Amino acid sequence: MKKVLYSMMGIAVVALVFIANVASASACFYCHYQPEVPESLRK
């Protein structure tokens, strides 16, 4: 029973990581978006 539970948890982790990666990649334009650094942080 524990083997089945561990394998299901492993599959869930892989699926959630994939979903997080897709969601974060869609937030930027082809993964090349770099916001402008504020002047106060350049020093």
Side-chain angles (χ1 to χ4, degrees), residues 1-38:
M1 184 68 179
K2 284 189 177 183
K3 284 185 177 182
V4 173
L5 182 64
Y6 286 145
S7 65
M8 287 175 55
M9 289 174 64
I11 292 170
V13 167
V14 168
L16 290 174
V17 168
F18 177 75
I19 291 170
N21 191 11
V22 168
S24 67
S26 67
C28 65
F29 183 73
Y30 295 108
C31 297
H32 294 291
Y33 175 71
Q34 292 182 346
E36 190 171 326
V37 179

